[in-house]
Amino acid sequence: MAEEDLFPSPTPVAGQEPETSDELDALEFIRRVEASDVGPSTVEGVQLGIHRLCRQYTSQKPTELLPQIRTYRHYLTRLIDGRATLTQRRDLIAVGGLLALLTACVHEDLGQRRASELSSETARRAGEHAGHRDLIAWSFEIKAWQALLDGRYPDALEHCQAGLMNADAVSSAAAQLIAQTARASARLGDKDRTLAALEHAEAMADRLRPEWPDHHFVFDPSKLTSYTATTLAWLGDGSDEAERCARRVIREEGRLGRPRRVATARVDLAMILLARHEAEEAAHLGRLAVKSGRLVPSNVWRVAELDRSLRAERSNAPEIAAFHEQFEAVRQAMRSEPA
């Protein structure tokens, strides 16, 4: 595949975010001042803008983030089509690969699997062209995530192993792939492998010093805590340690303004409590997750799983019935929304 085919020109998006438009107008001014299609300030500005979008992923809704992504992709495509040195072109392709990774995540959140897969493949090929192994590793991490969503747990493990073969030995991509290994192993009921992977991910996280802990493609201690809570919930662990882990995620992510992680942690905590037969509190937590407004196709299945488990436990309890009714209303509304 030729470099110019990596990022096909999209249709400009009407009504783009004013902040994004202002940023790109400023970059266009810098580009013209430098009297070149691509200059060092232009490349740096595009990199910072795309990193900003990656940092907004946990706090913005995917429908709000996607128009900004498309606007940046359109501008980036113009730059790649222009004159640039080999180093500048490699840097643009690399940051374009990062944008493709983020695009894949957002499309997956919206239930747009085909678009997600194409974006992930774009990121992999960009990694190959730019000599950026971590981009390739992250593309496999997205494949592992998709396999987990589909219930293809052995496939998820295979994608994790393929990603680790490309990731730098100590990197966020490697840490996340190891954490995904733990989640897939938990789904397969392999407790020993699950706990070993969690321990490995913790050791890796201790060695990372991320500049931007809130960046989606950065593995930090708070992400490890979130993954641990989910993994223990999937293992059916109803221990006090598992409960403390999930409650810590709710508390810390709430303080940091990451409502999606809070909603996920409430589902985790509900499953942990349900393992101890505390069904009513589990149902209450499920209702809070539903009311958060942060359910999307990539995480709604987890609430559906909680709903089934609760009704199997005590289907006639008022709190459980109320949760089921509220969840069904939200799920039906999601099904009626255009893809």
Side-chain angles (χ1 to χ4, degrees), residues 104-269:
C105 293
V106 171
H107 279 304
E108 188 63 45
D109 288 336
L110 295 172
Q112 299 164 352
R113 173 58 61 85
R114 181 58 179 160
S116 178
E117 290 175 340
L118 288 172
S119 294
S120 178
E121 177 67 9
T122 295
R124 184 185 67 79
R125 296 194 181 196
E128 292 173 349
H129 277 275
H132 200 303
R133 289 169 57 87
D134 264 16
L135 281 176
I136 302 172
W138 277 111
S139 73
F140 279 107
E141 192 277 335
I142 290 175
K143 287 180 177 293
W145 175 39
Q146 291 169 333
L148 277 171
L149 296 179
D150 294 345
R152 296 181 287 109
Y153 309 126
D155 289 347
L157 289 175
E158 288 185 11
H159 292 315
C160 287
Q161 290 304 308
L164 286 167
M165 291 177 64
N166 286 279
D168 291 337
V170 179
S171 63
S172 287
Q176 180 120 346
L177 285 159
I178 294 165
Q180 289 287 35
T181 298
R183 298 209 299 179
S185 299
R187 280 301 201 181
L188 289 167
D190 189 339
K191 184 175 181 179
D192 290 342
R193 185 172 186 176
T194 299
L195 297 180
L198 284 177
E199 186 176 346
H200 190 181
E202 182 177 7
M204 179 79 69
D206 287 341
R207 299 174 65 186
L208 297 173
R209 297 292 181 270
E211 180 181 1
W212 293 316
D214 56 343
H215 195 292
H216 182 58
F217 298 104
V218 164
F219 198 88
D220 68 312
S222 68
K223 184 175 283 189
L224 174 63
T225 305
S226 179
Y227 270 64
T228 300
T230 298
T231 302
L232 294 177
W234 285 354
L235 270 179
D237 188 337
S239 67
D240 291 343
E241 180 184 356
E243 180 183 353
R244 284 193 296 270
C245 184
R247 290 193 186 278
R248 184 162 67 250
V249 177
I250 294 169
R251 182 176 62 253
E252 293 179 358
E253 299 298 343
R255 177 177 58 82
L256 293 170
R258 298 171 181 169
R260 182 169 168 182
R261 285 193 189 174
V262 171
T264 298
R266 282 177 170 148
V267 177
D268 291 334
L269 180 56

Side-chain angles (χ1 to χ4, degrees), residues 20 36 68 78 83 94 125 132-133 141 160 188 227 242 304-305 316 334 337:
T20 300
S36 170
Q68 299 177 66
R78 286 181 54 206
R83 294 168 296 172
R125 296 194 181 196
H132 200 303
R133 289 169 57 87
E141 192 277 335
C160 287
L188 289 167
Y227 270 64
E305 189 172 61
N316 295 325
M334 290 177 61
E337 291 176 357

Side-chain angles (χ1 to χ4, degrees), residues 16 48 53 90 120 263:
Q16 67 190 40
L48 289 173
L53 294 180
R90 184 176 63 247
S120 178

